[in-house]
Amino acid sequence: MKPKLCLGSAQFGLDYGITNNKGKVKPREVKEILKYSSDNNISLIDTAQEYGDSETIIGNSLPEDNSFKIISKISLKNSDKFELKHTKLWEISLKNSLKKLRKNKLEALLIHSQNDLQKPGSKYLINWLLSLKDRGIVNKVGLSIYDKNDLIGINRDFIDIVQLPLSIYDQRLVKNLTISKLRNEGYTIYARSIYLQGLILKRSYEWPNWINKESIKHHQKLENFADRNNLKLINLAIEYIKSQEMIEAAIFGICSLKELKELNKSWRKEILL
């Protein structure tokens, strides 16, 4: 079974992405994006407290009687160690996020950095996250990682979800069996960074000049393959993710309604490669 589509919302609150030359998505367009998503059974949204005002924008743009499930990441304010008093601050911060999002609960709340699980007093963070599940404020808790070393030496017993980078150009966590091991241990896997901030969707002549020539030549090979098979780069990027059966959901950063429609069209299209 292919993964579920999940809307990435960094561009709703930030001028984010190497190839994003439009800046933040305008609130009016966010409403159109969420309306289209709701009408097309796309019900997952990924956000974070550090994504500027994306939480407020999402909350103000949600259609009435919507069934969106929201995954968020909590900002822990760079504390060197955690104490019991921090739980009150996290509680206030989460309640503010829920108020902005106009939701009573989250589908999942993720820790942004595995370093927070290695700090003195991390037990206070873990106990607080578990209490959120007990109180029905979140359904699942999780962790965002960048590579397999982020999983070394941390307590994972309380974690339900692992969010990680995966793309046609970044297959490290497939090839080193990290994803299959996590899945076999019962974790839900969410993939992000699927477009590499939009680079994969651009022709090589549009890439920034600081990218090395070897990478550009590699991308030209993908372009040639796409051209020979009458496909777009987005088809190849998406087809790779669709083939990853161990992934529960795939997070795509959305910059416009047009982009979302193209994504959804490609997602539904059956391509044999």
Side-chain angles (χ1 to χ4, degrees):
M1 183 179 294
K2 68 183 180 183
K4 299 174 185 174
L5 272 179
C6 178
L7 301 180
S9 66
Q11 294 88 345
F12 295 176
L14 298 171
D15 183 357
Y16 178 82
I18 295 172
T19 62
N20 177 16
N21 52 19
K22 297 180 180 178
K24 286 173 56 175
V25 183
K26 290 182 169 53
R28 181 178 177 181
E29 185 144 27
V30 174
K31 281 191 175 184
E32 294 174 348
I33 288 169
L34 296 186
K35 176 66 166 60
Y36 175 86
S37 299
S38 181
D39 292 342
N40 287 271
N41 298 316
I42 302 170
S43 60
L44 288 174
I45 303 174
D46 178 81
T47 190
Q49 292 179 341
E50 294 183 353
Y51 290 171
D53 59 352
S54 68
E55 291 179 328
T56 300
I57 298 294
I58 291 168
N60 291 339
S61 304
L62 289 172
E64 289 188 18
D65 301 322
N66 69 87
S67 58
F68 280 106
K69 297 178 180 179
I70 299 180
I71 301 105
S72 191
K73 304 178 193 76
I74 189 166
S75 176
L76 298 174
K77 307 301 182 186
N78 297 321
S79 302
D80 293 328
K81 64 177 182 179
F82 300 132
E83 301 175 30
L84 182 60
K85 65 181 181 181
H86 286 109
T87 61
K88 294 181 180 179
L89 299 177
W90 300 331
E91 191 81 14
I92 292 170
S93 178
L94 179 57
K95 286 181 178 178
N96 285 338
S97 288
L98 290 170
K99 184 177 180 180
K100 292 175 184 176
L101 292 165
R102 300 186 181 183
K103 288 286 183 179
N104 295 320
K105 66 186 300 184
L106 295 176
E107 173 63 16
L109 183 65
L110 275 57
I111 302 169
H112 234 146
S113 171
Q114 90 288 351
N115 291 329
D116 291 320
L117 294 176
Q118 297 174 314
K119 293 176 180 177
S122 61
K123 65 179 181 181
Y124 294 114
L125 174 60
I126 294 172
N127 290 339
W128 177 70
L129 289 169
L130 289 173
S131 79
L132 296 178
K133 289 176 64 175
D134 291 339
R135 290 180 283 153
I137 298 174
V138 304
N139 287 332
K140 299 176 182 178
V141 296
L143 174 67
S144 178
I145 68 168
Y146 289 89
D147 61 49
K148 66 176 183 178
N149 293 330
D150 291 343
L151 297 168
I152 296 174
I154 61 171
N155 179 359
R156 288 188 275 141
D157 293 342
F158 70 101
I159 291 172
D160 304 302
I161 294 174
V162 178
Q163 190 183 111
L164 45 77
L166 179 65
S167 72
I168 194 171
Y169 279 172
D170 185 0
Q171 303 179 22
R172 293 169 298 150
L173 298 178
V174 172
K175 292 184 176 181
N176 64 25
L177 303 182
T178 297
I179 289 176
S180 60
K181 288 178 180 176
L182 287 170
R183 193 68 188 90
N184 290 336
E185 291 172 9
Y187 297 101
T188 298
I189 311 295
Y190 283 12
R192 68 169 189 277
S193 304
I194 293 164
Y195 292 155
L196 289 184
Q197 294 193 31
L199 282 175
I200 291 177
L201 306 186
K202 296 291 185 179
R203 306 292 290 195
S204 55
Y205 63 81
E206 298 178 277
W207 278 19
N209 56 19
W210 50 262
I211 296 178
N212 65 64
K213 292 182 179 179
E214 183 179 346
S215 296
I216 291 174
K217 287 181 179 179
H218 186 75
H219 193 56
Q220 288 171 344
K221 290 181 181 179
L222 189 72
E223 291 173 347
N224 293 335
F225 179 83
D227 293 341
R228 287 197 307 270
N229 290 277
N230 196 30
L231 296 171
K232 297 179 179 180
L233 291 170
I234 189 174
N235 298 139
L236 300 179
I238 288 175
E239 207 60 26
Y240 175 73
I241 295 298
K242 282 166 60 178
S243 72
Q244 303 303 309
E245 296 181 353
M246 293 189 179
I247 305 300
E248 176 76 16
I251 302 167
F252 291 87
I254 302 299
C255 294
S256 68
L257 178 60
K258 179 182 177 182
E259 195 175 276
L260 175 58
K261 288 181 177 179
E262 185 177 11
L263 163 63
N264 193 40
K265 180 181 178 181
S266 185
W267 191 260
R268 295 173 182 273
K269 188 176 182 179
E270 292 299 326
I271 300 173
L272 296 178
L273 298 176

